[in-house]
Amino acid sequence: VYDVIVIGAGPGGYVAAIRAAQLGMRVCIVDDWEMDGKPAPGGTCTNVGCIPSKALLSTGFLFEQIENEAIRHGIKVGKPEIDVEKMMDRKKGVVRQTNDGILYLFRKNKIDYINGRGSFVSSDDSGYVINASTSNSDNIRIKAPNVILALGSKPRALPGVPFDEKYILSNTGALALKEVPKNLWIIGAGVIGLERGCVWNWLGADVRKLEALPSLLGMADESISKEALKIFTKQGLSLTFGVKIEKVTVEDNRVSVVYQDSDGKAQEIWVEKLIVSIGRVPNTSTVDGATVGLKLDDRGFIEVDADCRTNLPGVWAIGDCVRGPMLAHKAEEEGVAVAERIIGRRAFVDYDEIPAVIYTEPEVAWVGLTEQQIRSTGRKYKVGQIPFMANGRARAADETLGFVKVLADADSDEILGVHIIGAGAGELIAQAVQAIAFKATAEDVGMMCQAHPSFSEAVKEAALAANKEAINF
Ligand code: FAD
Ligand code: NAI
């Protein structure tokens, strides 16, 4: 008998398990992911998400730098070639290191880990009985008064077009290609479409994207979306908006996509590989929740209140399988908060302070409200925007694309949102997260001394610019 059983060892589940153990609870975590026949905790994030995708982005960007940028620094190298097998082996190594790191953390925190599928069997006044079925067909029965469901999500397929992972790829297949395809089309120009598109574009594939919406990155600040479109188009990514996909078939080792373009004209294309990245759906069918009466919402997510409580007493749900952004760090924060709530502590996740980062080059990152969101409320605001061209470190590094934009309340000067497109935006956004969490004003951020020369100075200058006090622009 445990105090807590966690089902799912992605960033939501494994972090919840560690925090619960730190707080003195007896914890068992059940996760079914295996890689090359070995237990592979870490979920989507570690195995087919954040970690491997960033490993490939690093390789792709390095290749691009050697191919196109080195010469600008006076470095002469021959035309680079990519050994895709080696690139994939390195990625696999990074993933395995991360799996092993999580296994070590389980041992360190005295957490029992079962590599298997967990499902509800029954419940009574003293808790929930969970069956963990392992890959060698053992069935292990465990019981606890508290269960944390961190079941994650899986890729959404086009209706009637299942992934075959050979021609029609989800992100999983797109992370495991054996060679650079000549042409690669991507349906859905969201986060995965952009990140995966970058890698194969840098490595020489002809990458094109078909997007249903009329514009790029609808959820981002409007000026960031416009700048991103300008930059990515210049980099050679072809983006077609307003399409309606009609039919996808595989014939003669090629994929045919029939779609209607934004003028309503029928088009057909033939491609070597097709990635479908049109969002993800919660992974809620794995635990036999109906046996104990677990409620889902109308979109298929596990129904939870603001504190991640499900309709069942003692059963909590976190991460991608519940409402909110599908981000690893959101899952982690919910995991920590739920562990604290189980022992009766008050814990708070501020969903307005969750940063978003898209790991393209340049990176795109933001936190807080977009300009269009503020405008729609009628609130008065001011804007400070500084291009990286006005930043000494950016010029020295030849990384002058993009800008930092700070939005602040017109009267109180409180920072409401920070939006960055530029090199290292994913790290720079940390400054903005802290500022927003501490309810800092633009003046506060503008008064802080930043090292020179550094990209961080652009954030300071944008904050100064919100009050028309920028020095270098
Ligand atoms: P998951 O990571 O999906 O983990 C759930 C785990 O539970 C899995 O191991 C699953 O097999 C297991 N499971 C489910 N049901 C059962 C059961 N009944 N019994 C046992 N085990 C079960 N987010 C970011 O913040 N930054 C990024 O850069 C980023 N990049 C991404 C790139 C890609 C290609 C993808 C696909 C996603 C990316 N994400 C990123 C999103 C991120 O991976 C998810 O938000 C995050 O993994 C969600 O964590 P989770 O713990 O809720 O679920
Ligand atoms: P997404 O929601 O980011 O993008 C999906 C895109 O597909 C949208 O632009 C949508 O309009 C489009 N679309 C939907 N249906 C379509 C159709 N029938 N035809 C054409 N276009 C269509 O989802 P994506 O890229 O699949 O990623 C899933 C999730 O994974 C993201 O929402 C994000 O939460 C997470 N993720 C996070 C990353 C990060 O934080 N850097 C990186 C990758 C994924």
Side-chain angles (χ1 to χ4, degrees):
V1 175
Y2 292 94
D3 297 315
V4 186
I5 295 169
V6 182
I7 305 184
Y14 90 77
V15 167
I18 292 173
R19 188 67 193 127
Q22 284 175 346
L23 293 168
M25 289 179 255
R26 282 163 303 164
V27 183
C28 180
I29 188 161
V30 186
D31 184 88
D32 57 4
W33 209 299
E34 287 183 5
M35 195 75 104
D36 300 331
K38 283 192 193 156
T44 303
C45 170
T46 298
N47 293 299
V48 292
C50 323
I51 301 299
S53 66
K54 270 78 237 178
L56 295 190
L57 277 159
S58 293
T59 306
F61 189 55
L62 182 59
F63 185 92
E64 196 276 336
Q65 294 274 294
I66 294 169
E67 186 173 38
N68 299 314
E69 298 301 318
I71 196 72
R72 286 155 59 79
H73 294 255
I75 305 168
K76 288 188 194 157
V77 279
K79 196 172 164 40
E81 279 176 39
I82 185 73
D83 178 341
V84 176
E85 197 181 336
K86 193 138 193 204
M87 168 173 87
M88 293 299 177
D89 280 350
R90 193 190 78 89
K91 176 208 72 175
K92 261 187 165 177
V94 173
V95 169
R96 191 65 245 170
Q97 239 176 9
T98 314
N99 300 138
D100 289 343
I102 296 169
L103 288 169
Y104 159 76
L105 290 172
F106 288 158
R107 288 193 300 275
K108 179 180 167 205
N109 288 284
K110 304 198 171 29
I111 295 165
D112 287 344
Y113 161 69
I114 302 175
N115 183 216
R117 168 70 56 99
S119 52
F120 285 104
V121 177
S122 61
S123 65
D124 60 27
D125 288 348
S126 61
Y128 297 86
V129 177
I130 302 289
N131 183 61
S133 63
T134 67
S135 53
N136 46 15
S137 308
D138 286 339
N139 282 300
I140 304 167
R141 292 282 163 109
I142 45 181
K143 190 171 183 186
N146 299 291
V147 178
I148 303 175
L149 302 172
L151 311 175
S153 62
K154 54 187 180 197
R156 185 154 78 88
L158 283 164
V161 187
F163 297 109
D164 60 20
E165 302 299 6
K166 196 166 169 206
Y167 301 103
I168 302 172
L169 313 173
S170 71
N171 64 281
T172 308
L175 285 168
L177 287 174
K178 293 203 168 21
E179 53 191 34
V180 181
K182 266 202 211 59
N183 51 35
L184 170 71
W185 285 60
I186 302 178
I187 298 181
V191 195
I192 293 182
L194 283 174
E195 291 187 1
R196 205 63 61 257
C198 271
V199 173
W200 296 108
N201 181 46
W202 287 325
L203 296 178
D206 176 13
V207 177
R208 292 162 194 248
K209 300 198 178 110
L210 297 173
E211 166 59 47
L213 293 177
S215 60
L216 184 65
L217 295 177
M219 68 294 199
D221 185 89
E222 55 200 11
S223 35
I224 293 280
S225 312
K226 276 193 208 132
E227 186 75 3
L229 180 61
K230 217 166 71 191
I231 294 174
F232 296 143
T233 309
K234 216 167 156 198
Q235 287 179 354
L237 284 187
S238 145
L239 291 143
T240 307
F241 295 102
V243 304
K244 191 163 174 265
I245 306 295
E246 312 248 281
K247 201 167 144 210
V248 177
T249 45
V250 178
E251 267 172 61
D252 300 332
N253 302 325
R254 287 187 310 162
V255 191
S256 147
V257 181
V258 178
Y259 66 95
Q260 242 181 57
D261 67 18
S262 55
D263 297 325
K265 277 201 207 112
Q267 306 280 358
E268 179 173 18
I269 46 141
W270 287 90
V271 289
E272 203 179 319
K273 302 278 179 195
L274 178 75
I275 297 177
V276 177
S277 50
I278 56 169
R280 296 177 61 84
V281 290
N283 205 4
T284 47
S285 59
T286 60
V287 278
D288 284 342
T291 335
V292 285
L294 180 71
K295 250 178 140 172
L296 304 185
D297 68 17
D298 50 10
R299 294 187 308 145
F301 291 87
I302 298 174
E303 193 172 281
V304 286
D305 68 7
D307 287 343
C308 296
R309 277 186 198 86
T310 69
N311 65 310
L312 303 171
V315 179
W316 308 74
I318 58 174
D320 278 13
C321 65
V322 304
R323 83 288 174 264
M326 287 184 166
L327 294 173
H329 42 288
K330 175 262 192 185
E332 290 176 15
E333 294 304 314
E334 287 182 334
V336 169
V338 162
E340 306 253 350
R341 286 172 192 139
I342 289 175
I343 60 150
R345 287 197 188 173
R346 287 177 64 175
F348 181 62
V349 177
D350 191 338
Y351 291 90
D352 296 333
E353 290 168 13
I354 296 175
V357 180
I358 306 175
Y359 296 84
T360 41
E361 278 298 336
E363 291 178 351
V364 178
W366 69 87
V367 61
L369 300 172
T370 61
E371 184 165 356
Q372 61 271 29
Q373 280 171 331
I374 303 174
R375 201 189 306 122
S376 71
T377 62
R379 187 170 183 176
K380 289 209 177 64
Y381 63 96
K382 48 195 175 183
V383 184
Q385 191 168 315
I386 293 290
F388 281 105
M389 186 52 112
N391 176 274
R393 182 72 197 271
R395 285 194 306 274
D398 219 346
E399 301 272 17
T400 52
L401 290 176
F403 56 79
V404 180
K405 174 174 173 180
V406 169
L407 296 159
D409 185 273
D411 301 319
S412 70
D413 197 37
E414 181 182 336
I415 294 181
L416 304 174
V418 177
H419 304 270
I420 309 176
I421 178 164
E427 299 296 331
L428 288 180
I429 203 68
Q431 246 193 86
V433 171
Q434 282 170 359
I436 288 185
F438 287 121
K439 306 238 172 299
T441 60
E443 185 188 35
D444 292 331
V445 173
M447 281 169 68
M448 284 173 204
C449 178
Q450 300 295 346
H452 177 77
S454 68
F455 288 92
S456 300
E457 287 174 299
V459 179
K460 173 188 166 94
E461 289 272 355
L464 287 170
N467 288 314
K468 303 201 176 358
E469 291 172 351
I471 302 293
N472 289 291
F473 188 64

